[in-house]
Amino acid sequence: MNGCVHEPEQPWTVGTAPGIFPSIGHGIALFRRPLEFLKSLPPQGDLVEIRLGPQRAWMVCHPELVHRMLRDSRTFDKGGPQYERLRALMGDGVVTCPHAEHRRQRRLLQPTFHPSNVSGHTALMAEEAAALCGDWRDGQEVDVSAAMLGMTTRLISRVLLSDSLSPAAADEVRHCLAAIVRGLFVRTIVPVDVLFRIPTPANRRYRRAVERVRELIDAAIAERRRGAPRDDLLGLLLAAADTEDGEPPVTDREVHDQLVSLLLTGSESSSMCLASTFSLLGRHPEVERRLHAEIDTVLAGRLPDVDDLPRLVYTRSVVTETLRHSPPGWLFTRVTTRETEFAGRRLPRGATVLYSPYLLHHDPASFPEPDRFLPERWLEGEAAPGPHGALIPFAAGSRKCIGDLFSMAEMTVALAAITGRWRLRHPSGRVAPPRPGATLGPRSLTMICAPRTDAPDGTAPHAVAQVPEAAAAASGAEKAGRDGDNGVHHA
Ligand code: HEM
């Protein structure tokens, strides 16, 4: 499954979004009701002009055009207000580096995210998920957003840095991340730097969070340099720093930038997606029942291991549908590196171009009843899934998410491990819709947990000890890796 969207017969349509305000452009609409604003754009055209503050920008609204843009990362490079701000945090690491630097960096980091390594991490994923809910009590109110972010931060920090980032430091990273994600969004939609130099409490919080993450990573690197080499991503980077194989050696600055980039991207999106999943399950008991039935049949009370992944078909469909319905990465910017013709329109060099997985995923032309949460869309023969090219939660092309397989495995394992033993219910009253920041998802979701009385026996947290060593070869993740290229591998 891939960007197999057919080119429309008619020429591309180009429009302008109504409601431009002087100086702030569409900033108010994007800030107050961003999702509604995005959904209003496809009827305006396949390519729609909007304003970010005073700046003119272009939103790409047709899946085929989005794929064209993502495939041509030389012309549509990382840049625009979002990536300019991210560079202050991640330097020129793999997430933010320009096209010319990207291939080398991606090749350097890729081994950690190779399917066989992902398979090797499933035991760790199950362990972290079981540890998370191990001390929940019947009737306890759980801050699901914080709990998921804590779990994903610990997991990715163990993968990248083994134990060089202490649990307390990982927790601090989690706190900083919340401030950064909030601040980043405002800086993207109103890219007026002078506003963010004013020493308001919010601006100070943002700057302090950025500095603190950098300090924590520097401390972890220094700790490792004093100790023994380890077989993790930091070990790989430090080895590349000492290499003499003709490639330019990796500098200290790059080691730092890569770790900050991967730690932040590797924790935030998966946690948002899991929090969205629990929120959606709490409102869709029929989906929850079917999920429980599959998990009980496949796992019979065990924690999931790598061999279970291909059999957790409905569980994976629930994750896929959450990624469609509430994609954590919902809005991204690019900048043109040369004058180019796009959708029949001349774009100057330096033009800001945006794409939004949320917009594509909620276009009824691609997904009927797009606001409905319907995991059955992804089960063969149960519902039409829509054109696959329109599903891009992990993007596409050379800048596609490096952690797609990792996070699909992580989220499937976590969902199975937690829902195998716990139900999470919304407190009575209205469930507030998620408010988008730099990512989309419930930023502060409180739910009430209850042990599953209908689950098979043997679900106590001590079952962690029974997780078998992950079998790398022929794993579900490897199979998934062969199945397609948008990173979402379903039934
Ligand atoms: C639900 C989970 C995740 C989602 C939805 C997601 C989504 C995305 C998207 C949409 C992009 C492309 C951004 C753009 O086009 O500007 C991206 C890039 C990236 N993601 Fe993820 N991501 C997830 C998890 C992860 C994890 C676990 C990691 C692991 C460290 C990760 C690391 C990265 C990196 C390094 C890039 C930049 C890739 C490059 O430019 O070569 N992500 N992600």
Side-chain angles (χ1 to χ4, degrees):
M1 55 192 254
N2 183 10
C4 49
V5 182
H6 297 296
E7 231 166 282
E9 299 303 321
Q10 74 275 28
W12 301 112
T13 54
V14 179
T16 303
I20 298 174
F21 284 89
S23 306
I24 48 170
H26 290 105
I28 291 185
L30 267 165
F31 188 73
R32 290 233 176 107
R33 39 178 199 88
L35 303 181
E36 288 71 17
F37 178 70
L38 288 177
K39 284 197 253 186
S40 75
L41 296 179
Q44 311 293 331
D46 299 318
L47 182 68
V48 177
E49 186 182 332
I50 64 167
R51 295 285 157 88
L52 300 176
Q55 286 180 23
R56 179 185 248 208
W58 299 91
M59 179 72 74
V60 189
C61 296
H62 193 285
E64 170 60 23
L65 279 178
V66 171
H67 279 273
R68 279 190 193 186
M69 176 182 78
L70 293 176
R71 279 197 304 266
D72 184 2
S73 56
R74 188 185 297 271
T75 307
F76 297 93
D77 205 351
K78 288 279 177 99
Q82 182 182 39
Y83 280 105
E84 279 156 24
R85 267 69 199 173
L86 269 177
R87 269 187 194 126
L89 178 65
M90 301 178 175
D92 266 339
V94 67
V95 176
T96 38
C97 69
H99 172 80
E101 258 294 302
H102 180 248
R103 202 178 154 83
R104 178 193 64 78
Q105 294 196 18
R106 183 90 184 202
R107 286 210 332 235
L108 174 69
L109 303 173
Q110 197 72 54
T112 302
F113 300 96
H114 186 272
S116 61
N117 280 330
V118 171
S119 304
H121 291 312
T122 28
L124 207 57
M125 294 167 183
E127 186 187 317
E128 284 294 345
L132 172 76
C133 57
D135 55 0
W136 286 355
R137 297 284 164 264
D138 190 4
Q140 183 185 335
E141 287 199 348
V142 175
D143 180 341
V144 179
S145 316
M148 296 304 140
L149 186 55
M151 178 183 68
T152 56
T153 309
R154 275 190 302 277
L155 175 64
I156 195 71
S157 78
R158 287 177 75 182
V159 169
L160 302 177
L161 296 150
S162 303
D163 51 6
S164 297
L165 196 71
S166 67
D171 205 42
E172 233 191 298
V173 168
R174 175 175 73 79
H175 278 294
C176 293
L177 193 54
I180 290 169
V181 167
R182 257 195 312 274
L184 192 62
F185 176 54
V186 190
R187 285 161 175 76
T188 300
I189 58 170
V190 187
V192 181
D193 276 339
V194 66
L195 291 179
F196 303 107
R197 280 193 227 113
I198 303 167
T200 61
N203 286 344
R204 276 205 298 264
R205 249 192 326 272
Y206 180 80
R207 253 200 312 275
R208 181 72 199 123
V210 170
E211 281 162 14
R212 188 66 190 133
V213 168
R214 293 185 152 280
E215 286 164 10
L216 289 165
I217 294 292
D218 279 340
I221 298 171
E223 195 262 355
R224 175 65 60 84
R225 285 198 195 277
R226 287 192 298 271
R230 300 288 295 265
D231 185 20
D232 54 16
L233 187 106
L234 176 54
L236 186 130
L237 288 171
L238 292 178
D242 294 334
T243 188
E244 289 176 7
D245 66 358
E247 288 277 354
V250 171
T251 60
D252 283 0
R253 176 73 202 210
E254 182 177 344
V255 174
H256 174 101
D257 288 347
Q258 301 296 17
L259 286 175
V260 174
S261 306
L262 292 169
L263 192 62
L264 300 190
T265 50
S267 49
E268 169 69 13
S269 300
S270 313
S271 76
M272 277 287 136
C273 183
L274 280 167
S276 293
T277 307
F278 284 109
S279 180
L280 286 161
L281 285 175
R283 280 175 281 148
H284 294 83
E286 70 295 350
V287 175
E288 192 183 47
R289 265 194 299 277
R290 194 166 175 181
L291 178 70
H292 288 168
E294 176 178 273
I295 289 168
D296 295 348
T297 307
V298 173
L299 301 179
R302 286 183 296 111
L303 282 172
D305 67 42
V306 67
D307 295 324
D308 296 315
L309 286 177
R311 290 185 289 146
L312 291 170
V313 173
Y314 192 70
T315 313
R316 205 171 180 85
S317 300
V318 169
V319 173
T320 303
E321 178 64 353
T322 308
L323 285 167
R324 183 202 64 80
H325 185 276
S326 306
W330 62 289
L331 187 65
F332 297 101
T333 64
R334 292 289 189 272
V335 69
T336 52
T337 54
R338 59 183 178 91
E339 187 184 274
T340 185
E341 188 172 319
F342 191 62
R345 167 114 203 176
R346 286 244 136 241
L347 298 183
R349 181 170 187 268
T352 297
V353 185
L354 297 99
Y355 81 96
S356 162
Y358 183 90
L359 180 154
L360 296 192
H361 296 180
H362 283 262
D363 187 345
S366 297
F367 299 101
E369 299 186 86
D371 293 338
R372 273 188 74 192
F373 179 61
L374 201 60
E376 283 69 17
R377 288 180 210 272
W378 308 105
L379 294 177
E380 229 161 279
E382 292 206 25
H388 289 314
L391 181 74
I392 51 159
F394 296 108
S398 62
R399 305 305 293 250
K400 195 183 100 185
C401 179
I402 204 171
D404 56 352
L405 285 183
F406 181 91
S407 57
M408 281 306 287
E410 170 188 29
M411 295 184 293
T412 308
V413 166
L415 187 59
I418 296 169
T419 51
R421 50 206 70 197
W422 293 98
R423 282 194 69 204
L424 292 170
R425 269 191 304 240
H426 289 288
S428 51
R430 192 173 155 268
V431 180
R435 212 179 147 70
T439 49
L440 172 65
R443 210 147 287 286
S444 169
L445 171 71
T446 301
M447 295 183 84
I448 299 165
C449 59
R452 283 203 40 224
T453 47
D454 56 338
D457 287 344
T459 55
H462 64 247
V464 175
Q466 297 160 13
V467 177
E469 279 306 303
S475 71
E478 278 191 73
K479 178 188 171 298
R482 293 191 297 270
D483 280 350
D485 127 303
N486 67 0
V488 184
H489 315 291
H490 50 79

